[in-house]
């Protein structure tokens, strides 16, 4: 109680505390690994080597990272305005439709770099559209955004099922997916980036959307901390009554924020749909929307933090896949447990250690 | 649990001769820094048992910090705390409670949905099963009430009680935990005058029964009325301690500020001009549909200060919020400088020339988590001078914030400090500076000097009068009758949502008091 008001230096708040939480998560994971009779140390080595050891592993890691950056940014933007957007998953899914429609209609006529800006806009528009209804319900009707965005995940899922199975499926085929885009509708791989560090990308799907994600990080930072709109969002997020006093229009800010948030989630689709598989497939989001919540929490809703925590989750995804391949007793489910522990310690239990650290800091700093 | 048996035999001790000089609290060489801010510098303080000790000092002098150290909210960097002669380490508030120290917070720490009894027991339930603890607590509460003359219905839900009664529950809570020493930090800021009188009665009874009380307040009148001894803090230092009966308000004021202070407001005659604010048949309902402002009409002219007097809760707050565009009126008209203003949002009203110092700075006037400079533009952040187009020009904003900090002597002079870390009075100055420096046509002012020290009160009052003399219209709402009387050129009295009468600024206190109680008109 008494430590909550103490302001800690940035390096502790944004550096030491997340790091300690992370170490704790790994210690707990290590115990789990040890309990099923494997060596934690060996498992950790396999995980890290799998994620960062070779050019291909790095390519996969950064591919996952890209998706998590988009969804993490989506969650963070909403949180700054006091809105908890649980719907990034569905918004990304619908964003895939936007990207695919652009790719399908342009890939025959123009090269990829002409298609790309339209695809970004298409993905963002569809993602935003998916967020628009919950936003409107929150702004005008007071329906809680958490509930409505969750429901929209289900609605989107059913909608996309219908669209893929009945409308976009290639006639005569069994798989509910679109045709493969021509090169004009695909985002090129970043072989050169990995090659710069002397590695080989191999089969890894790391592509141009990684760069788009980094640009979005910068734009989100500008939005939140350098624009008048961002100022209004933050005011509303921290103190709705001060926002009312300042004449900041609640409904308008809620709408705009959610549209931006949904748009960012929608852009996530560029990565798997246009960058990796080159077609729109069923369930391509695969939980990245939910991981975005943890990424945003752990990254303290700051773009720089989000890049780092998205990278961490990218490592866990890729390294975890390799680990369960190399150590058969560690199944996919075990990897999910480890990811869960990281989310638990870094996200949910973020403040568990804070009081103790504040005391320690006060003793050390006070003695000076 | 311990609190149940603590109080035995205390009366005899306290009434014994010579007990008055026995120290209850000794602070020795207390030192505390927050980064560059030296909040407490080598403080020594001794408070005798069974006395009421006042602590006064300017905003940011370090009073709350010192008390927070005594109550375990902060740790001192150096120094020792002795309770009844014994050194104690107070690491947190549990340790403070165990040492017999209770604190009545300015912002009450009560669970609003709980009853009085449940709140008093909270954290001291006495065992796993509630029933036993409850009956014990009920008995104990009865005894405390009759001992100290604090009647409170134990089964009333806290939320529904008036502020003064809620405060009594806070005191009972401390006593229930066996507090021998009570700390009250600006307890009267939120109270109506009768509630404050009642609080003082209770405090006297507590003292006479041997409790030791530390009272922080900015109102020297209260210091003179109730304390036995008084200490003055200035810029982190304890500069003087006096026996109250041997000092005067003037001396204390000078000790606090380091110069002579004008305790009376000096102002010339008003020269009223055009009507700048016109309110006609305004009715405002609260969120539950209760009529709070009932068919009110009045005018405020350029170059005059109109004060609204009334006991808190008679519709003044709602009236102010309706004019400021925060609350939608149910019916009626508002005209600002000849333009219709009812139903326009606060941003639009600011463009019409309205500025508003809100009553509740913590919830409305400031975003406490923002840095100071961010609050310096709240409500005006769309102004082109703070950045063209969509972007904010942070350099320009910080530069202007620094100018206001210098002009209004806001301490510490750091626009990058989190607003929550400014002391109460300095927070108020941030709001006042922002609103007045915009040079509005019409200024709405709610409780401008709540929690503000006398030097700053003098300053804020002067600014408000300057506004008037510069031909602005000022509408003032304050529960401090003194303030309304000394600033206003005309006084409107509100009772039960209606304006029950108008008096000139020099109306007598008794007259206004009767009108505020709905007796005279
Ligand atoms: N947590 C904190 N971090 C940084 N500075 C702080 C913190 N708490 C208080 N301060 C600073 O310490 C100084 C003393 O503050 P304190 O709240 O004790 O003043 P005060 O005497 O109670 O003033 P007021 O009468 O306005 O309530 C102020 O300059 C304040 O800004
Ligand atoms: Mg204080």
């Amino acid at each position: 109680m008494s430590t909550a008001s103490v302001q800690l230096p940035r390096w502790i708040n944004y550096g030491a505390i997340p790091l300690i939480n992370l170490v704790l998560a790994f210690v707990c994971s290590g115990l789990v690994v040890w309990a099923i009779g494997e060596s934690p140390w060996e498992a950790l080595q396999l995980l890290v080597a799998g994620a960062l050891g070779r050019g291909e592993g790095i390519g996969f890691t950064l591919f996952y990272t890209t998706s998590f950056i988009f969804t993490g940014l989506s969650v963070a933007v909403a949180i700054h305005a006091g809105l908890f957007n649980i719907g990034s998953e569905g918004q990304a899914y619908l964003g895939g439709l936007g990207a695919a429609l652009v790719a399908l209609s342009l890939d025959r006529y123009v090269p990829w770099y002409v298609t790309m800006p339209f695809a970004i806009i298409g993905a963002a528009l569809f993602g935003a559209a998916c967020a628009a209804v919950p936003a409107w319900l929150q702004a005008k009707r007071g329906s809680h955004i958490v509930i409505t965005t969750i429901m929209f995940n289900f609605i989107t899922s059913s909608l996309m099922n219908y669209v893929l199975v009945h409308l976009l499926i290639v006639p005569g085929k069994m798989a509910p997916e679109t045709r493969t885009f021509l090169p004009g509708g695909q985002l090129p791989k970043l072989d050169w980036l990995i090659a710069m560090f002397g590695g080989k990308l191999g089969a890894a799907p790391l592509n141009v959307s990684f760069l788009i994600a980094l640009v979005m990080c910068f734009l989100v930072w500008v939005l939140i901390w350098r624009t008048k709109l961002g100022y209004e969002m933050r005011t509303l997020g921290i103190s709705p009554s001060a926002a009312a006093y300042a004449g900041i229009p609640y409904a308008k800010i809620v709408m705009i924020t959610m549209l931006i948030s949904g748009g960012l989630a929608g852009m996530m689709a560029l990565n798997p749909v246009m960058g990796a598989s080159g077609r729109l497939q069923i369930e391509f989001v695969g939980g990245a929307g939910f991981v975005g919540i943890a990424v945003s929490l752990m990254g303290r809703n700051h773009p720089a933090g989000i890049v780092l925590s998205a990278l961490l989750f990218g490592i866990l995804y890729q390294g975890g896949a390799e680990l369960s391949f190399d150590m058969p007793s560690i199944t996919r489910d075990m990897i999910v447990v480890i990811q869960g522990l990281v989310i638990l310690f870094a996200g949910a239990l973020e403040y568990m250690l804070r009081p103790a650290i504040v005391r320690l800091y006060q003793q050390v700093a006070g003695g000076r | 649990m311990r609190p149940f048996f603590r109080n035995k035999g205390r009366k005899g001790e306290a009434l014994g001769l010579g007990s008055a000089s026995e120290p209850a609290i000794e602070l020795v060489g207390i030192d505390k820094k927050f980064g560059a801010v030296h909040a407490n510098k080598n403080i020594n303080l001794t408070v005798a048992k069974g006395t009421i000790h006042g602590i006064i000092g300017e905003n940011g002098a370090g009073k709350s910090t010192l008390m927070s150290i005594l109550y375990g909210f902060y740790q001192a960097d150096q120094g020792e705390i002795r309770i009844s002669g014994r050194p104690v380490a107070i690491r947190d508030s549990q340790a403070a409670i165990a040492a017999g120290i209770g604190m009545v917070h300015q912002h009450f720490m009560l669970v609003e949905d709980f009853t009085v009894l449940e709140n008093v027991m909270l954290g001291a339930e006495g065992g796993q099963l509630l029933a036993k603890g409850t009956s014990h607590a009920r008995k104990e509460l009865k005894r405390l009430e009759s001992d100290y003359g604090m009647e409170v219905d134990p089964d009333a839900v806290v939320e529904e009680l008036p502020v003064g009664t809620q405060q009594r529950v806070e005191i009972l809570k401390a006593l229930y935990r066996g507090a021998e020493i009570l700390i009250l930090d600006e307890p009267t800021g939120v109270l109506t005058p009768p509630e404050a009188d009642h609080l003082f009665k209770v405090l006297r009874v507590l003292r006479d029964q041997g409790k030791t009380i530390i009272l922080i307040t900015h109102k020297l009148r209260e210091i003179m009325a109730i304390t036995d001894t008084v200490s003055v803090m200035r810029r982190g230092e304890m500069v003087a301690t006096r026996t109250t009966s041997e000092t005067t308000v003037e001396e204390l004021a000078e000790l606090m500020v380091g110069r002579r202070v004008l305790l009376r407001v000096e102002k010339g005659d008003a020269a009223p001009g055009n009507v700048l604010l016109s309110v006609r048949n305004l009715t405002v309902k609260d969120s539950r549909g209760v009529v709070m402002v009932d068919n009110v009409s009045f005018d405020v002219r350029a170059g005059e200060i109109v004060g609204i007097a009334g006991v808190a809760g008679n519709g003044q707050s709602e009236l102010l919020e309706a004019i400021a565009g925060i609350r939608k009126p149910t019916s009626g008209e508002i005209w600002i400088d000849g333009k219709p203003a009812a139903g326009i949002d606060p941003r639009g009203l600011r463009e019409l020339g309205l500025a508003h110092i809100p009553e509740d700075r913590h919830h409305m006037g400031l975003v406490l988590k923002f840095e100071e400079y961010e609050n310096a533009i709240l409500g005006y952040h769309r102004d082109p001078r703070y950045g063209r187009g969509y972007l904010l020009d942070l350099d320009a904003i910080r530069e202007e914030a620094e100018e206001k900090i210098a002009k209004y002597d806001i301490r510490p002079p750091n626009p990058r400090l989190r607003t929550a870390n400014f002391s109460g009075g300095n927070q108020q100055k941030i709001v006042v500076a922002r609103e007045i420096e915009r040079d509005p046509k019409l200024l709405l002012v709610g409780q401008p000097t709540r929690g503000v020290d006398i030097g700053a009160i003098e300053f804020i009052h002067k600014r408000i009068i300057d506004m008037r003399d510069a031909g602005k219209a000022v509408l003032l709402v304050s529960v401090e009758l003194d303030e309304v009387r000394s600033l206003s050129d005309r006084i409107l009295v509100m009772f039960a949502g209606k304006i029950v009468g108008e008096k000139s600024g020099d109306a007598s206190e008794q007259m206004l008091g009767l009108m505020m109680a709905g007796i005279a008109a």
Side-chain angles (χ1 to χ4, degrees):
Chain A
M1 171 170 69
S2 62
T3 53
S5 61
V6 179
Q7 223 174 346
L8 287 173
R10 275 165 187 260
W11 68 268
I12 294 188
N13 244 343
Y14 300 106
I17 293 185
L19 208 65
I20 294 173
N21 281 331
L22 191 63
V23 168
L24 273 180
F26 274 112
V27 169
C28 283
S29 309
L31 288 177
V32 175
V33 171
W34 176 72
I36 56 173
E38 294 281 358
S39 151
W41 181 239
E42 206 176 311
L44 183 66
Q45 277 175 325
L46 282 173
L47 189 144
V48 172
L52 304 172
R54 289 170 304 120
E56 193 171 358
I58 295 176
F60 269 103
T61 299
L62 291 181
F63 168 73
Y64 293 124
T65 303
T66 304
S67 292
F68 299 153
I69 289 178
F70 280 118
T71 53
L73 289 176
S74 161
V75 174
V77 164
I79 284 182
H80 278 289
L83 300 164
F84 207 12
N85 180 10
I86 312 274
S88 303
E89 183 81 12
Q91 290 146 17
Y93 203 2
L94 204 62
L97 184 58
L101 289 180
V102 171
L104 286 173
S105 32
L106 294 184
D107 63 350
R108 247 168 295 180
Y109 311 107
V110 294
W112 68 270
Y113 49 84
V114 177
T115 311
M116 185 178 81
F118 293 100
I120 294 175
I121 294 171
L125 274 182
F126 275 63
C130 182
V133 180
W136 186 83
L137 286 171
Q138 166 87 39
K140 295 287 184 189
R141 292 281 176 273
S143 318
H144 205 289
I145 198 112
V146 168
I147 311 281
T148 48
T149 49
I150 289 179
M151 295 197 318
F152 260 74
N153 286 334
F154 292 104
I155 294 175
T156 323
S157 178
S158 310
L159 180 75
M160 288 295 283
N161 256 333
Y162 177 83
V163 169
L164 277 168
V165 171
H166 294 278
L167 304 179
L168 291 180
I169 196 167
V170 181
K173 278 223 180 171
M174 292 299 288
E177 56 186 32
T178 64
R179 71 170 166 84
T180 303
F181 312 144
L182 304 173
Q186 295 199 20
L187 296 175
K189 304 269 179 336
L190 292 181
D191 325 57
W192 54 270
L193 186 68
I194 301 296
M196 256 167 52
F197 297 96
K200 270 176 106 178
L201 188 56
L206 175 64
N207 61 82
V208 166
S209 25
F210 176 61
L211 304 179
I212 303 176
L214 294 182
V215 171
M216 286 305 150
C217 281
F218 175 70
L219 291 182
V220 165
W221 176 80
V222 170
L223 168 74
I224 303 288
W225 282 284
R226 289 294 183 273
T227 67
K228 297 176 179 178
L229 176 63
Y231 178 89
E232 298 191 331
M233 286 164 52
R234 285 184 294 131
T235 304
L236 183 65
I238 301 171
S239 172
S241 49
Y245 160 82
I248 293 169
Y250 173 78
K252 193 172 146 195
I253 299 295
V254 167
M255 285 303 296
I256 295 177
T257 304
M258 282 305 289
L259 292 180
I260 295 174
S261 173
L264 285 164
M267 284 183 219
M268 173 269 174
L270 297 170
N271 190 34
V273 173
M274 288 178 67
S277 61
R279 53 183 180 253
L280 181 62
Q281 294 170 305
I282 206 139
E283 302 293 349
F284 71 84
V285 185
F290 297 118
V291 174
I293 298 170
V295 166
S296 178
L297 273 179
M298 193 171 168
R300 301 295 158 95
N301 311 317
H302 190 290
I306 285 171
V307 170
L308 290 178
S309 59
L311 184 62
L312 172 70
F313 277 90
I315 292 172
L316 284 177
Y317 259 63
Q318 168 57 16
E322 295 279 320
L323 175 60
S324 62
F325 186 77
D326 292 337
M327 260 190 193
S329 58
I330 297 184
T331 58
R332 288 295 295 170
D333 298 328
M334 278 297 307
I335 302 299
V336 174
V337 169
I338 293 175
Q339 285 160 0
L341 282 167
V342 171
I343 294 177
L344 185 70
F345 277 94
L349 297 184
E350 194 197 310
Y351 288 105
M352 184 175 71
L353 292 177
R354 198 173 183 276
I357 291 172
V358 167
R359 291 232 172 77
L360 194 69
Y361 169 73
Q362 282 177 331
Q363 268 169 17
V364 175
R368 256 186 275 153
Chain B
M1 284 195 77
R2 191 186 327 108
F4 297 160
F5 309 108
R6 257 191 105 93
N7 300 328
K8 279 183 188 157
R10 170 195 27 132
K11 262 183 208 172
E13 264 169 50
L15 295 177
L17 275 180
S19 65
S21 58
E22 181 189 324
I25 309 162
E26 287 164 281
L27 301 178
V28 188
I30 298 285
D31 214 89
K32 177 76 186 170
K33 276 186 191 152
F34 295 106
V37 180
H38 205 161
N40 285 167
K41 297 179 198 163
N42 189 24
I43 302 273
N44 295 303
L45 174 71
T46 304
V47 180
K49 200 177 165 82
T51 63
I52 301 181
H53 186 92
I55 297 182
I56 57 175
E58 285 182 290
N59 296 127
K63 307 177 295 290
S64 297
T65 303
L66 188 64
M67 291 305 112
S68 300
I69 288 170
L70 184 53
Y71 192 62
F73 263 124
Y74 295 138
Q75 302 299 308
D77 299 337
Q78 267 162 47
E80 192 177 83
I81 300 172
R82 293 187 207 136
I83 303 294
S84 304
R86 237 168 298 131
V88 286
I90 301 179
R91 312 204 80 251
D92 50 26
S93 46
Q94 272 102 312
I97 292 166
I101 302 171
M103 178 130 173
V104 176
H105 299 273
Q106 180 162 12
H107 299 276
F108 304 148
M109 307 271 177
L110 298 171
V111 183
E112 301 221 314
D113 296 333
F114 276 17
T115 64
V116 171
L117 188 69
E118 285 166 334
N119 265 292
V120 167
M121 286 171 60
L122 197 68
E125 294 90 352
Q128 291 301 314
L129 288 176
L130 264 186
K132 200 166 134 217
T134 310
S135 68
H136 196 116
R138 193 179 286 279
K139 249 185 272 158
E140 181 71 8
L141 199 59
K142 270 253 166 55
R143 194 187 64 72
L144 288 172
E145 283 174 19
S146 62
D147 274 9
Y148 303 118
M150 285 194 278
E151 58 295 334
V152 183
D153 173 8
D155 298 313
V157 176
V158 162
E159 193 179 29
E160 289 160 10
L161 296 173
V163 182
T165 316
Q166 291 189 15
Q167 191 174 57
R168 234 170 286 157
V169 177
E170 280 273 16
I171 296 176
L172 281 170
K173 214 171 114 180
L175 294 175
Y176 182 76
R177 281 159 180 68
E180 287 299 310
I181 296 162
L182 262 187
I183 306 168
L184 297 104
D185 193 350
E186 295 184 40
T188 57
V190 290
L191 301 185
T192 62
E195 282 174 331
D197 287 343
H198 192 247
L199 171 68
F200 289 158
K201 224 180 280 166
V202 168
L203 293 186
R204 281 195 196 99
V205 175
L206 286 171
R207 172 195 53 195
D208 293 343
Q209 306 234 7
K211 308 273 181 202
T212 309
I213 293 165
I214 296 185
L215 173 75
I216 297 179
T217 178
H218 286 292
K219 298 176 189 165
L220 296 179
R221 209 162 11 102
E222 295 174 353
I223 292 288
M224 301 309 287
I226 185 166
T227 63
D228 300 303
T229 46
V230 52
S231 296
V232 184
M233 288 186 75
R234 190 160 79 217
R235 303 201 178 199
E237 287 175 272
M238 196 59 93
V239 293
T241 296
R242 296 279 185 275
T243 304
T244 308
S245 55
E246 290 165 9
T247 186
T248 62
V249 170
E250 285 74 19
E251 187 196 16
L252 290 177
E254 202 173 329
L255 281 170
M256 259 167 77
V257 186
R259 62 176 168 87
R260 289 191 57 99
V261 186
L262 266 183
L263 294 171
R264 280 198 49 252
V265 180
E266 279 190 346
K267 67 178 190 353
D269 289 333
N274 302 333
V275 172
L276 283 184
L277 170 67
S278 180
V279 174
R280 289 288 170 273
N281 307 103
L282 191 73
T283 298
V284 183
K285 289 182 183 161
D286 71 3
S287 49
R288 290 166 300 170
V290 179
V291 175
M292 295 305 290
V293 177
D294 191 359
N295 197 21
V296 160
S297 303
F298 64 92
D299 288 336
V300 183
R301 293 174 173 276
E304 71 168 349
I305 299 174
V306 173
I308 299 201
V311 177
N314 275 283
Q316 311 95 306
S317 308
E318 288 77 8
L319 175 64
L320 210 58
E321 285 179 13
I323 299 173
I326 296 166
R327 208 177 263 277
K328 285 251 172 323
T330 320
S331 62
E333 291 165 24
I334 301 168
W335 301 81
I336 292 178
D337 197 15
K339 299 185 192 71
I344 297 185
D345 74 348
R347 187 188 294 168
L349 292 173
R350 286 191 176 90
E351 274 157 27
L352 284 181
L354 173 130
H356 176 203
I357 298 170
E359 290 187 301
D360 187 341
R361 60 174 170 257
H362 282 170
H363 287 113
M364 285 200 175
L366 295 168
V367 180
L368 290 176
K369 283 190 183 164
F370 275 1
E371 291 175 15
E372 194 274 348
Y373 75 92
E374 293 178 289
N375 272 312
I377 59 168
L378 186 67
Y380 304 100
H381 51 275
R382 290 259 165 203
D383 191 308
R385 81 162 91 164
Y386 300 132
R388 302 196 168 279
Y390 295 107
L391 294 179
L392 289 170
D393 181 351
L394 294 190
D395 290 333
I397 295 169
R398 286 182 196 146
E399 204 171 297
E400 202 193 275
E402 271 172 24
E403 281 165 25
K404 285 186 208 155
I405 285 174
K407 188 166 175 189
Y408 284 76
D409 190 23
I410 294 167
R411 283 180 243 169
N414 176 9
R416 298 300 306 268
L417 187 67
R418 248 223 254 184
T419 311
N421 291 341
F422 283 87
S423 74
N426 281 301
Q427 289 173 356
Q428 181 71 344
K429 284 197 201 169
I430 296 171
V431 178
V432 170
R434 179 183 69 213
E435 298 303 316
I436 288 187
E437 287 303 300
R438 294 300 302 205
D439 198 30
K441 288 180 197 155
L442 167 66
L443 179 65
L444 305 181
V445 191
Q447 319 295 353
T449 55
R450 181 176 277 173
V452 171
D453 70 51
I454 49 168
I457 290 177
E458 182 192 19
F459 179 83
I460 291 172
H461 283 177
K462 247 200 212 130
R463 282 281 100 79
I464 293 176
I465 290 170
D466 288 348
M467 292 291 283
R468 180 198 77 162
D469 292 344
K472 321 290 182 192
V474 180
L475 180 66
L476 165 76
V477 167
S478 172
V479 291
E480 299 288 333
L481 199 48
D482 282 349
E483 178 162 81
V484 173
R485 285 178 63 231
S486 55
L487 282 179
S488 309
D489 300 308
R490 289 189 291 133
I491 299 176
L492 306 173
V493 182
M494 267 188 101
F495 176 73
K498 289 192 164 63
I499 290 184
V500 294
E502 180 184 327
K503 291 280 170 220
S504 66
D506 46 26
S508 78
E509 204 172 328
Q510 286 87 339
M511 187 66 215
L512 291 171
L514 287 175
M515 288 168 72
M516 282 161 61
I519 297 166

